[in-house]
Amino acid sequence: MKYTRIPHTDIRISKICLGTMTWGRQNTEEEAHEQMDYALDQGVNFFDTAELYPIPAKKELYAVTEEFIGNWFKKTGNRDKVVLGSKIAGKGHAATHIRNTGFSKESIISAVEGSLQRLQTDYIDLYQLHWPERNTNYFGQRGFNAHIIDGWEDNIHQVLETLRDLIAEGKIRHVGLSNETPWGTMRFLEESKVHRTLPRMLTIQNPYNLLNRLFEVGLSEISTREKIGLLAYSPMAFGVLSGKYLTEIPPRKARVSLFPNYNRYSGETATQATEKYAQLAQEHGLSLAQMSLAFVNTRPFLTSNIIGATTMEQLEENIESIDVDLSDEVLEGIEAIHNAIPNPAP
């Protein structure tokens, strides 16, 4: 395994992070425990979860994923071997069964307390805001709609104050963003620069893969200059970049087959790009999955690459991508495809 550090800290984390959002819907608790056992044995010491998981979110399954992890911590005693990230859900339809009060002081405190109880731990290493509570472009929205008036009042100072108090209590160690825009990222960073008692956002968890490299527009410069590390999610584009949906009969139990509305990476142009990437991988004796993950691993702004798997075979292949070195010829081929079909799936 290769390791990085959470920026501005001495916390050493694996460059491959174990994602958990399928646990409780596509994976049983036994399978989740098996994945954690294997990942830790392979040197993966960074696990990421959220109170919203499993995905798609469902009231009856609220926070089951965190419960699975907490039970594993209790069973194995491995809490001190894992750097743990979790998240508070923002406003929106997907979270109405949790709360719809955004990032108020009471909401953040309640969310942290609930996660700590379910995770059976005294602290969370990295606590993240899952998505902005204001209207902006995320979750597949390519651009910002300036015509929408959302009534949001800037509460970033208050949010950081609440997180600061939770850090002082020892309940969380550090904080990060998720699904954030360049404006939002800089707004949080500037607030903590001006008010130095407030905590600094250290990471940003956004989508990044061969079909969606929009992080490179604006956010990659912020990441590099401000040292806020990318935790890349969906590096396999909901499994599309395994190539399994290019077959005439897609696998019945695969994510996009089970949940057809998860079609962000399945449009006609995205499929054309996927076919070209699959051909490039084949020409160089690589699996499309490992080429896709290895590409993300090469990015200079990457702190950790969040993989997810529903089978042990997928997990093994995904973790092994850390040892895949892409030749200059492969990287040049990737850029040629990207230039011809840029960001087909925002």
Side-chain angles (χ1 to χ4, degrees), residues 258-307:
L258 291 171
F259 311 113
N261 59 316
Y262 277 67
N263 58 4
R264 196 183 311 172
Y265 300 102
S266 304
E268 182 179 349
T269 309
T271 300
Q272 292 172 3
T274 302
E275 289 172 345
K276 290 182 179 294
Y277 286 122
Q279 182 179 354
L280 177 66
Q282 185 177 23
E283 288 171 356
H284 292 272
L286 298 166
S287 75
L288 176 56
Q290 289 203 332
M291 185 183 82
S292 300
L293 292 170
F295 172 76
V296 176
N297 294 339
T298 66
R299 301 299 87 186
F301 42 76
L302 181 78
T303 290
S304 195
N305 187 359
I306 305 175
I307 62 167

Side-chain angles (χ1 to χ4, degrees), residues 47-324:
F47 297 178
D48 180 74
T49 191
E51 66 168 343
L52 188 72
Y53 296 168
I55 296 291
K58 188 177 181 182
K59 181 178 180 180
E60 294 78 10
L61 297 174
Y62 168 56
V64 163
T65 305
E66 286 189 328
E67 292 178 4
F68 286 5
I69 297 170
N71 291 339
W72 182 79
F73 283 151
K74 182 178 181 180
K75 179 180 76 172
T76 64
N78 282 337
R79 175 65 185 93
D80 62 341
K81 297 178 182 178
V82 172
V83 178
L84 178 65
S86 194
K87 312 178 198 74
I88 176 176
K91 287 184 177 180
H93 176 72
T96 51
H97 62 288
I98 303 174
R99 72 187 72 81
N100 208 27
T101 48
F103 301 142
S104 69
K105 179 177 180 178
E106 295 76 16
S107 296
I108 295 173
I109 292 172
S110 172
V112 169
E113 295 285 2
S115 288
L116 290 174
Q117 183 177 5
R118 290 184 294 269
L119 291 164
Q120 302 189 50
T121 183
D122 296 325
Y123 66 97
I124 296 168
D125 296 283
L126 180 67
Y127 197 66
Q128 303 149 94
L129 308 180
H130 205 152
W131 63 87
E133 56 183 329
R134 65 189 191 280
N135 168 61
T136 188
N137 49 311
Y138 55 87
F139 291 152
Q141 300 176 63
R142 188 181 290 273
F144 173 66
N145 187 345
H147 297 288
I148 294 179
I149 299 174
D150 59 8
W152 176 75
E153 295 184 6
D154 192 327
N155 63 343
I156 287 173
H157 187 95
Q158 291 81 6
V159 169
L160 290 172
E161 280 187 329
T162 304
L163 295 171
R164 175 199 62 197
D165 293 345
L166 288 164
I167 291 171
E169 293 174 25
K171 293 178 179 178
I172 59 178
R173 296 181 68 187
H174 299 287
V175 290
L177 298 167
S178 182
N179 296 295
E180 219 4 308
T181 66
W183 183 88
T185 304
M186 286 305 300
R187 180 69 189 84
F188 273 100
L189 291 176
E190 289 302 312
E191 193 69 25
S192 59
K193 286 180 182 179
V194 173
H195 304 280
R196 294 189 176 274
T197 62
L198 297 179
R200 189 186 201 282
M201 292 296 181
L202 303 182
T203 57
I204 176 169
Q205 184 175 150
N206 275 32
Y208 186 81
N209 55 59
L210 290 174
L211 302 178
N212 178 1
R213 292 169 58 177
L214 288 175
F215 188 86
E216 296 174 6
V217 182
L219 279 168
S220 63
E221 182 179 11
I222 294 172
S223 176
T224 301
R225 297 189 186 279
E226 299 290 335
K227 301 294 185 292
I228 178 169
L230 172 64
L231 307 179
Y233 81 79
S234 288
M236 292 281 291
F238 295 162
V240 168
L241 288 170
S242 68
K244 61 189 174 186
Y245 298 110
L246 296 178
T247 60
E248 290 186 9
I249 304 176
R252 183 171 56 87
K253 293 185 178 181
R255 186 165 192 79
V256 178
S257 301
L258 291 171
F259 311 113
N261 59 316
Y262 277 67
N263 58 4
R264 196 183 311 172
Y265 300 102
S266 304
E268 182 179 349
T269 309
T271 300
Q272 292 172 3
T274 302
E275 289 172 345
K276 290 182 179 294
Y277 286 122
Q279 182 179 354
L280 177 66
Q282 185 177 23
E283 288 171 356
H284 292 272
L286 298 166
S287 75
L288 176 56
Q290 289 203 332
M291 185 183 82
S292 300
L293 292 170
F295 172 76
V296 176
N297 294 339
T298 66
R299 301 299 87 186
F301 42 76
L302 181 78
T303 290
S304 195
N305 187 359
I306 305 175
I307 62 167
T310 53
T311 69
M312 287 303 298
E313 292 77 17
Q314 292 171 346
L315 183 64
E316 292 166 13
E317 182 180 27
N318 291 353
I319 292 175
E320 287 169 1
S321 71
I322 197 66
D323 296 318
V324 175

Side-chain angles (χ1 to χ4, degrees), residues 30-60:
E30 182 181 2
E31 290 169 339
H33 288 200
E34 184 181 13
Q35 287 195 27
M36 287 184 278
D37 288 338
Y38 180 81
L40 193 61
D41 284 345
Q42 299 305 306
V44 175
N45 73 335
F46 185 25
F47 297 178
D48 180 74
T49 191
E51 66 168 343
L52 188 72
Y53 296 168
I55 296 291
K58 188 177 181 182
K59 181 178 180 180
E60 294 78 10

